[in-house]
């Protein structure tokens, strides 16, 4: 929320990503950015070149957006990332909303195996 309040809506996703990293690191929350997602098919790793925007504390995938609206495709993308990475929770954060609360969408992984 601090990043949104500082910059407001409508800027590039890459700026919000870098500011989110600073904010999380300042709070001493472990975060990695542009994490390569290893995709396996029948036991073989496929070079699919997928990347997670942010991986927080090795548990939560953050998918950052700066779009006019979140579509079903955005949900499907994050759900697939959660399933492939076997992480319990994801968030879609759309910085292009006038009401930031509407731009934060929690997405649990129904396939998570601890």
């Amino acid at each position: 929320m601090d990043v949104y309040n500082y910059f407001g809506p409508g800027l590039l996703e890459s700026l919000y990503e870098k500011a989110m990293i600073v904010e999380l690191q300042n709070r001493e929350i472990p975060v990695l950015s542009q994490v390569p997602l290893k995709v396996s098919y029948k036991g073989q790793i496929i070079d699919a070149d997928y990347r997670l925007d942010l991986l927080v504390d090795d548990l939560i995938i953050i998918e950052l957006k700066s779009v006019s609206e979140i579509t079903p495709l955005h949900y499907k993308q994050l759900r697939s990332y959660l399933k492939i990475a076997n992480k319990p929770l994801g968030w879609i954060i759309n910085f292009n909303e006038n009401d930031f609360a509407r731009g934060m969408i929690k997405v649990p992984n129904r396939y998570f195996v601890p």
Side-chain angles (χ1 to χ4, degrees), residues 13-74:
E13 182 182 309
S14 58
L15 174 74
Y16 295 117
E17 181 176 329
K18 290 174 183 167
M20 287 281 297
I21 292 165
V22 169
E23 187 64 38
L24 291 165
Q25 288 174 338
N26 285 345
R27 295 172 186 231
E28 298 182 2
I29 298 171
V31 62
L32 298 172
S33 67
Q34 295 303 311
V35 178
L37 183 58
K38 292 183 181 176
V39 179
S40 174
Y41 178 72
K42 295 188 176 182
Q44 291 191 339
I45 300 295
I46 298 171
D47 183 14
D49 201 30
Y50 286 115
R51 297 187 176 276
L52 307 176
D53 287 345
L54 298 175
L55 181 60
V56 178
D57 204 13
D58 199 34
L59 293 170
I60 302 168
I61 297 173
I62 307 289
E63 187 62 28
L64 300 173
K65 301 292 180 198
S66 186
V67 294
S68 57
E69 73 177 80
I70 296 299
T71 68
L73 179 62
H74 296 123

Side-chain angles (χ1 to χ4, degrees), residues 1-23 66 95-98 100:
M1 186 124 191
D2 287 347
V3 172
Y4 178 85
N5 287 337
Y6 189 87
F7 288 114
L11 300 174
L12 293 176
E13 182 182 309
S14 58
L15 174 74
Y16 295 117
E17 181 176 329
K18 290 174 183 167
M20 287 281 297
I21 292 165
V22 169
E23 187 64 38
S66 186
F95 282 95
N96 202 32
E97 283 283 347
N98 288 327
F100 186 67

